[in-house]
Every structure is written in C-alpha cells, then in structure tokens.
Amino acid sequence: MKEAGYSVAVYPGDGTGPEVVREGEKVLEALAEGAAAPWHLTDFPGGGQYYLKTGREWEPEAEAAAKDADAILLGAVGWPGATLPNGDLAGRALVLGLREGLDLYANVRPCKLYPGVRHQISGVYTQVWSPKDVDMVIVRENTEDLYTPVRGRLTRAHETEVAIDTRVVTRKGSERVVRFAFELACARGRGAPQDGKRRVTCVDKSNVLEGCRFFRETFDRVGAEFPDVERDYAYVDAFTQWLVRNPERYDVVVATNMMGDIITDLAAVLQGGMGFASGGNVGADHAMFEPVHGSAPKHAGKNQVNPFATFLAVEQMLRWLGERHHDPRLVRQADRLERAVARVLADGSARTYDQGGSVSTSAAGDRVAEAIRTEGR
Ligand code: IPM
Ligand code: MN
C-alpha cells in the first residue's frame, strides 16, 4: 500500500479526448468522496492540436511523468492536419510512442454488452444479442508486427517507387502476450458465455503468413502449460464472421498487433459501439488506459460523445493498480464504478446520441457520479 497514493499521469489529448477525460476525473472524484483518494491525478497537455500550436507533441516534463507515474490515463490523440515532418501522426509519442517506450506489450480490450445497451449491427439499435452473449476480452500484441517502426520508401528523382512496412513477429513478443491471454482466461474464470468453458482463441492467418505460423506455434507451446483452458483457433478472415454470428463462443481472444487493431473495432459494434470500448496497454512495469474511440474531430466541442468508454478505462485502471499493488481499496473502487456504470446503463438515463438518446457527455458523467454517491440508497 502506498502512503502518498498512486500517481496517475493524465493526457487528455485532442478533440473529444479532454471532454471524456473530464468526466472520467469526475467519477474518480465521486469514488473518493468522504475519504482521502488513494490516487492523485496530474493533467498534461499534448497531442496533435498541441503540436499545431507549439511545434512539440508534448513537453519534456509530460514525457518524464509518463515514466514515473503509477498509471497513465489517455484521452485521444490525432487531429486533421496535425502531421509530423516525416508523415507520422502528431501525437504519436503519446500513444504508439508510449506503447513502445514503456514496453506496454498487451493491449487488453474487453468487449462486454451491458444490459440496456443496444449493439450497433447494421447501424440500428436492435437487441439481437442479449448481453449474456457478449462477454469476451481481446488481447492484442502491442509492440511489434506491422507496427514495428521498420519501414520506409524508396524515392528516386523525388518520386516514391516503393513503400515498405516490415512485419516483425518475435518469440519474446508472442510468448508474453500469449501467456497474458491464458492467465487472463484463468483469472476471469467464468469462461465463454456459450458453455462456460475457459477458452483462448488464437486469431491469425497461419495458412499463409510465416509470422502467424510462428505466433500459433508459440500459442500451442505456451497454451500447453494451461491444461484447464481450451485452445481454439481461427483464421482472421473467418473470425470476422464468427465473431458477429456467434460471439457467445468467445472468452479470451489473442492476436498480433495489426489484426488485433482491426478485430477490436469490429468487436466494439457488439458492445454498443466505440463509445463503450476501453483499452488497457499493459506492460511489466507500466500501464496506460484509454477509451479507444479516438479524438472524433467532428464531435469535438459539442459535449455529445459517449463517455462510458472512459469510465470503463478508469475501471480497468483501478483494477490493474489494485491487483498490482495488492491494494483491495482500488479493486473495491473498480467494482463500485462498474456497478454504477451498469446501473445507469440499465436504467437508460444516460443515453448519448450514439445510443439514440440526447443526453450530453457531462450529464452522463453527472449520472454516473450520482449513482456512485447514492449506491445502496
Ligand atoms: C488504437 C488506435 C491506434 C492504433 C492509432 C491511434 C495509432 O487505432 O489504439 O486501436 O492503431 O493502435
Ligand atoms: Mn485501432
């Protein structure tokens, strides 16, 4: 247990990032009420808009804080026209840079449909899947694969002739993320909604790609250490259908970085859309938590986006901190926050536009803060 409390470095970032992070901070305040908060938050500016203003993605003290903090909370980065001289996204340092720099090797994306939330298949708010059918976690490798910064262009006479991205799949990178996925299946314990079986599904393209064959070999070798967890396999193309047709089959899913990036956005549709998709970027010594929806420029400044992904990111953060430091206070706060979120979603009193409602971002935050304060009353 830490005396001074856990330090959380907060990077609200671009666009709607600051709007949802503000609500995340609001629910943290509500959780702490009446007692000294076991955490302290410090906000730092940074991202694409900051880059347009200052020529820097963030300040040296913001970067140093990320390394020193017990946990990191990120809003979103990316802004139209904010590009680094080399063509990269301005704000990259805060997301891809921290994933690389702090070695946040597992990108953990829960996909759970809460009662009262409508999934977004075909863009209409129908309740085809019942919440009990959608409860999985996708674990995406977060440091290598096509994201490895080994890429470039061959330019001759100022004209690009070839552009190359290198796909790197390593033993270390695969082993640790696969182990993470199997350990998570054990810790969750409840198994897949369909049959209660603990299952890890390896999503890859090992019928074609060498890196995927290697990833699957590693999956088999590491998975053999977990006899209570079923090993399951899916080629990524087929997986996209099965995920939508039969989500109740999935418990934990593991994939390489690029495929994981794609399938997690697809999975978000099953949980009500990107407005509910949170992600933890977890390493051995550091972790960063974020809503996955991005800066959503067209909604920025309108106080209308869905802040629930941020609440769920905060919940993931508290749980990770609590488990890592063996501090039951934080785990209890995470449980309290999840109960408040579930209660507000179930009563439908905080539906933002993406759920067919008209509740604002800040009013949705007020509702969850109130549900925390009045719990049990
Ligand atoms: C995500 C995002 C990022 C990624 C972008 C913002 C670089 O899409 O976290 O899924 O590609 O990983
Ligand atoms: Mn993505």
Side-chain angles (χ1 to χ4, degrees):
M1 203 180 284
K2 278 183 73 163
E3 289 304 322
Y6 305 97
S7 57
V8 180
V10 184
Y11 303 93
D14 293 317
T16 57
E19 297 173 46
V20 291
V21 163
R22 200 174 302 130
E23 301 314 310
E25 294 182 333
K26 187 188 280 176
V27 303
L28 278 166
E29 263 165 49
L31 282 170
E33 202 158 84
W39 53 77
H40 52 93
L41 313 174
T42 314
D43 284 23
F44 296 95
Q49 290 173 293
Y50 190 77
Y51 178 80
L52 290 177
K53 223 165 52 195
T54 64
R56 293 181 301 278
E57 293 178 270
W58 54 354
E59 298 301 326
E61 55 269 26
E63 188 174 354
K67 294 196 187 79
D68 294 339
D70 291 307
I72 299 167
L73 182 63
L74 176 71
V77 292
W79 195 250
T83 312
L84 301 177
N86 69 358
D88 274 347
L89 166 89
R92 180 193 193 283
L94 286 75
V95 48
L96 299 176
L98 285 178
R99 289 177 186 168
E100 291 159 10
L102 302 178
D103 202 16
L104 309 175
Y105 65 85
N107 193 322
V108 185
R109 300 200 166 169
C111 173
K112 174 170 169 173
L113 181 63
Y114 283 87
V117 176
R118 300 127 184 227
H119 73 66
Q120 294 191 318
I121 293 176
S122 79
V124 291
Y125 312 108
T126 48
Q127 195 76 72
V128 178
W129 296 118
S130 101
K132 65 172 176 30
D133 293 326
V134 181
D135 185 2
M136 71 187 91
V137 181
I138 302 183
V139 179
R140 160 186 173 196
E141 200 290 321
N142 213 24
T143 58
E144 52 185 52
D145 186 16
L146 274 170
Y147 280 65
T148 317
V150 179
R151 57 174 66 96
R153 285 175 184 230
L154 171 62
T155 304
R156 284 190 287 232
H158 305 290
E159 219 174 288
T160 299
E161 302 231 359
V162 185
I164 296 176
D165 295 286
T166 314
R167 181 162 195 246
V168 175
V169 176
T170 70
R171 180 181 291 272
K172 172 180 164 180
S174 308
E175 258 175 29
R176 61 189 185 176
V177 79
V178 165
R179 187 173 303 282
F180 189 103
F182 277 93
E183 285 173 353
L184 179 63
C186 294
R188 271 165 65 81
R190 57 182 172 278
Q194 179 171 285
D195 50 14
K197 283 215 178 98
R198 294 176 193 181
R199 174 177 294 124
V200 180
T201 305
C202 181
V203 172
D204 60 45
K205 190 71 185 173
S206 56
N207 49 344
V208 180
L209 302 176
E210 200 58 49
C212 282
R213 277 200 276 273
F214 186 41
F215 190 78
R216 192 182 275 211
E217 280 163 30
T218 307
F219 174 83
D220 275 330
R221 181 165 42 78
V222 174
E225 296 171 28
F226 298 84
D228 299 340
V229 183
E230 184 184 304
R231 266 172 278 155
D232 181 44
Y233 309 87
Y235 296 138
V236 64
D237 46 351
F239 177 77
T240 60
Q241 308 176 54
W242 294 337
L243 176 67
V244 177
R245 283 168 49 176
N246 194 192
E248 62 272 32
R249 181 179 166 70
Y250 299 107
D251 174 18
V252 174
V253 174
V254 67
T256 50
N257 202 345
M258 185 77 251
M259 291 176 191
D261 180 46
I262 297 165
I263 63 175
T264 46
D265 274 22
L266 177 60
V269 175
L270 302 173
Q271 67 184 138
M274 295 302 282
F276 296 94
S278 67
N281 301 264
V282 178
D285 301 314
H286 301 270
M288 171 167 78
F289 300 85
E290 51 175 342
V292 182
H293 48 63
S295 63
K298 71 174 184 223
H299 298 291
K302 297 184 181 157
N303 191 26
Q304 66 183 22
V305 291
N306 185 341
F308 278 89
T310 302
F311 303 150
L312 294 168
V314 168
E315 187 236 328
Q316 265 187 291
M317 178 178 86
L318 294 175
R319 203 174 294 288
W320 178 81
L321 273 171
E323 284 168 3
R324 175 177 170 79
H325 297 279
H326 307 289
D327 188 338
R329 293 177 304 173
L330 282 280
V331 177
R332 278 199 300 272
Q333 305 280 33
D335 289 340
R336 258 182 92 194
L337 175 53
E338 197 189 9
R339 283 196 302 272
V341 161
R343 201 168 123 201
V344 171
L345 292 174
D347 73 20
S349 62
R351 281 200 185 119
T352 42
Y353 82 92
D354 55 314
Q355 281 284 301
S358 57
V359 173
S360 69
T361 309
S362 55
D366 291 341
R367 274 295 298 125
V368 172
E370 185 195 323
I372 290 167
R373 293 194 173 103
T374 60
E375 188 181 31
R377 259 184 247 163

